[in-house]
Amino acid sequence: MKQVYLDTFGCQMNVADTDRMELLLFHSGYIRTGEVQDADLVLINTCSIRDKAEQKIYSLAKNLKPLKETNPDMILGFTGCLAQQEGERFLEKMPFVDLVIGPDGVEHIVQVIKDVKDKKLPVVRTQFDTDTNYQIPELSGETPLNPGPTAFVNIIKGCDKFCTFCVVPFTRGREKSREAEEIEQEIKLLVSRGAREIILLGQNVNAYGKRGLKQPVPFHELLYRIASIPGLKRLRFITSHPKDFTRECITAYRDIDILANHIHLPVQSGNNRILKEMRRMHTIEEYISIIEELKAVLPDIGVSTDIIVGYPSESESEFEDTLSLMEKIKFNNSYMFSYSSRPNTPAQYFPDLVSQSVKSDRLQKTIQLQKRLTLEQGKKIIGKEIEVLVESESFKNDSDFRGRNAQYWSVNFTGDKRQIVPGDMVKVIVEDATGHVLKGRALLLKGYKKLMVAAGSKT
Ligand code: SAH
Ligand code: SF4
Ligand code: F3S
């Protein structure tokens, strides 16, 4: 078999696209290698969400140039969001590259490689698919590897929100949902191969099913349908948008036992003027009321978010509103970013840029605050019993396994390797909390029985 080296930048959707390319390529005779110099085909799946991501990819491309020169038969390709954004320009800047394809090119990867070989010319493929819905055909036969205990499943692609700062609607195109039946089929297959937790993926999962489906199903109904799949122990979704968050979804949190007590709900800013400028289409009061309603049905729900500091024209007091909101909600975790001007987006033309040093200072303040909030909440869990889905054995000296609890805390714990295997749901007593990681030990029942917690029970 030929060898393919795959590298991924960016979000989980890109990780899922890389996995899909690996599978498609496996069926056409490629096996994945971790050694770039051994590869017949090198594919870098790119991201362009912020300028830093873009710069990293260009420097990687430059580093790969000598390898391509010494091994001209090797095919070197760039896929994903930066490839979509730049298209021909990418090739002009990096003429040694053989293929440039956007996210909608993933399904066509095998054909594109064939075209490169046949024509002996670089190929750029950045057109979006014209179908109204989104299909990921099942591939029969062997797979290169089985899923781990946690598997990601795409339910929707693209984005129609056009927040003023964001490249995603330009790099991933219009919102398109997958038929519920196809999603259920894929999940059943993953569960039969060992997956125990499914994380539904999309830039806007709760915009699922709005249009294009032959059999329209709203997002909350999809959750109920998936939750009834036998063998599934935990269900999550990322990312949802406050604007599309419905009452029915809150009820689903109350009713579905295996729906994890965790929500990742990006807020971006704690100030209404900035939210309006960003075109987020909701207010802070609406955001707080979603969280309060969720907490009313699940008091121990873990909440995480995304935050941007230094959006054009953000004043000091508007920034402080973000800090106040963080204190109020007490996020478990925040992904915090300093605003980065992106091509194609309306915000790139907005005047009154916040200086780099002010942005850095604001970013540091949010990071420090989040550190404290995470630690305070972690400390409260010390001494408690939590349910952990074991994801893998641990490589750390002082623990045997790692996994996550429902609230998405990462947990390292000691336990008997003859008793516990990845995919088990085990009870762990928490002994310490550092940063985002809890430490503990698996509780063993009398009689040394394997500690399996009944599937579906909630922490
Ligand atoms: N679909 C999700 C998030 C997608 S991108 C949502 O709507 O919330 C992931 C995160 O990257 C965003 O939530 C935002 O916080 C950050 N981000 C996106 N564009 C950015 C930019 N131009 N500068 C800084 N951060 C950005
Ligand atoms: Fe980007 Fe906004 Fe779409 Fe999220 S909702 S992907 S931030 S445009
Ligand atoms: Fe990056 Fe594209 Fe994801 S821009 S964050 S890889 S959708």
Side-chain angles (χ1 to χ4, degrees):
M1 275 183 117
K2 290 195 166 163
Q3 304 205 62
V4 55
Y5 176 87
L6 295 150
D7 198 358
T8 314
F9 291 79
C11 62
Q12 272 309 327
M13 270 139 278
N14 253 17
V15 176
D17 284 348
T18 301
D19 289 350
R20 180 69 180 171
M21 288 194 283
E22 180 180 354
L23 185 63
L24 291 162
L25 289 163
F26 177 79
H27 284 269
S28 83
Y30 284 91
I31 188 103
R32 191 167 182 170
T33 173
E35 304 297 327
V36 68
Q37 60 279 8
D38 296 344
D40 304 284
L41 169 65
V42 173
L43 292 176
I44 311 296
N45 199 7
T46 66
C47 171
S48 67
I49 199 80
R50 285 168 289 275
D51 186 55
K52 229 189 225 164
E54 178 166 341
Q55 295 318 320
K56 261 197 225 165
I57 290 151
Y58 280 119
S59 62
L60 174 66
K62 279 186 200 136
N63 290 342
L64 288 168
K65 190 179 176 201
L67 186 67
K68 174 74 189 172
E69 281 165 352
T70 52
N71 185 5
D73 288 341
M74 177 191 98
I75 295 176
L76 174 60
F78 286 78
T79 62
C81 290
L82 182 65
Q84 179 71 35
Q85 177 188 296
E86 295 299 296
E88 294 282 349
R89 273 197 307 267
F90 197 93
L91 213 54
E92 283 159 25
K93 288 184 199 163
M94 307 281 156
F96 51 93
V97 166
D98 299 299
L99 67 97
V100 177
I101 61 172
D104 271 9
V106 161
E107 218 42 52
H108 311 278
I109 186 71
V110 173
Q111 183 58 44
V112 173
I113 289 165
K114 191 174 174 297
D115 291 348
V116 170
K117 284 184 184 163
D118 291 350
K119 295 182 189 146
K120 298 195 171 28
L121 279 174
V123 173
V124 176
R125 188 194 189 282
T126 50
Q127 71 265 38
F128 287 115
D129 287 340
T130 50
D131 322 4
T132 52
N133 70 2
Y134 168 32
Q135 282 175 294
I136 308 180
E138 191 187 319
L139 295 173
S140 50
E142 250 188 290
T143 51
L145 77 172
N146 277 326
T150 294
F152 292 87
V153 172
N154 280 312
I155 63 166
I156 183 169
K157 70 173 173 179
C159 182
D160 286 354
K161 291 280 188 292
F162 289 92
C163 302
T164 53
F165 52 83
C166 183
V167 289
V168 173
F170 306 97
T171 62
R172 297 228 166 218
R174 295 292 61 74
E175 222 164 67
K176 286 173 189 173
S177 300
R178 274 176 91 186
E179 294 293 338
E181 222 177 289
E182 191 186 295
I183 297 169
E184 285 171 303
Q185 271 317 105
E186 182 179 347
I187 295 176
K188 282 180 190 158
L189 190 71
L190 287 164
V191 170
S192 76
R193 292 189 172 147
R196 293 293 167 261
E197 172 180 67
I198 294 294
I199 306 185
L200 305 177
L201 276 187
Q203 281 300 352
N204 261 316
V205 284
N206 53 349
Y208 175 83
K210 284 212 171 142
R211 59 184 154 75
L213 290 178
K214 282 186 219 110
Q215 289 178 326
V217 172
F219 177 61
H220 64 272
E221 213 173 296
L222 181 74
L223 294 177
Y224 285 96
R225 281 172 64 164
I226 294 171
S228 70
I229 294 175
L232 190 61
K233 290 182 183 170
R234 205 182 255 168
L235 179 61
R236 302 182 191 276
F237 51 84
I238 48 169
T239 300
S240 38
H241 192 293
K243 170 87 169 37
D244 294 323
F245 214 92
T246 59
R247 286 258 134 63
E248 288 87 348
C249 190
I250 295 173
T251 311
Y253 265 104
R254 186 196 64 198
D255 292 347
I256 302 175
D257 268 355
I258 68 164
L259 189 57
N261 292 4
H262 175 249
I263 174 83
H264 181 71
L265 196 62
V267 69
Q268 315 298 357
S269 164
N271 177 272
N272 277 333
R273 187 188 76 85
I274 296 291
L275 283 186
K276 197 163 179 215
E277 288 280 313
M278 288 175 161
R279 239 186 135 259
R280 290 292 290 180
M281 296 178 284
H282 66 85
T283 61
I284 285 305
E285 291 71 25
E286 283 160 344
Y287 184 90
I288 293 171
S289 107
I290 295 171
I291 303 296
E292 281 176 352
E293 284 181 45
L294 280 168
K295 284 188 174 169
V297 293
L298 298 170
D300 68 344
I301 193 163
V303 186
S304 59
T305 198
D306 292 351
I307 285 168
I308 297 178
V309 302
Y311 184 79
S313 84
E314 182 192 61
S315 70
E316 198 58 33
S317 80
E318 286 167 337
F319 162 67
E320 279 162 15
D321 288 344
T322 299
L323 297 177
S324 308
L325 183 79
M326 291 169 74
E327 284 271 14
K328 182 174 173 65
I329 305 279
K330 301 206 187 311
F331 295 109
N332 275 3
N333 196 2
S334 298
Y335 298 87
M336 297 153 282
F337 310 103
S338 153
Y339 168 74
S340 167
S341 171
R342 305 310 294 135
N344 302 318
T345 64
Q348 72 177 317
Y349 303 112
F350 292 177
D352 195 7
L353 290 171
V354 179
S355 76
Q356 197 50 53
S357 70
V358 171
K359 276 197 230 172
S360 309
D361 184 56
R362 289 180 187 171
L363 186 62
Q364 279 317 310
K365 282 187 177 139
T366 56
I367 292 171
Q368 288 315 319
L369 172 56
Q370 186 55 55
K371 248 189 195 163
R372 174 165 67 72
L373 294 174
T374 301
L375 199 65
E376 279 170 9
Q377 288 166 92
K379 296 276 182 219
K380 283 191 197 149
I381 313 174
I382 296 176
K384 294 207 170 133
E385 275 177 32
I386 57 171
E387 282 178 14
V388 176
L389 177 69
V390 186
E391 288 178 16
S392 62
E393 290 197 2
S394 166
F395 300 106
K396 297 208 182 307
N397 286 337
D398 56 353
S399 63
D400 300 306
F401 298 98
R402 62 160 306 278
R404 285 188 189 269
N405 76 340
Q407 288 81 356
Y408 213 57
W409 288 83
S410 198
V411 188
N412 287 324
F413 63 97
T414 53
D416 190 334
K417 290 194 176 170
R418 292 164 302 178
Q419 300 291 310
I420 299 167
V421 291
D424 285 351
M425 192 78 90
V426 298
K427 279 206 167 161
V428 169
I429 179 121
V430 179
E431 293 171 329
D432 200 7
T434 51
H436 299 294
V437 183
L438 303 176
K439 276 188 183 170
R441 70 186 146 83
L443 288 175
L444 283 180
L445 292 174
K446 275 199 190 117
Y448 215 53
K449 269 167 87 183
K450 191 167 181 176
L451 242 185
M452 298 279 291
V453 177
S457 58
K458 283 205 153 185
T459 323

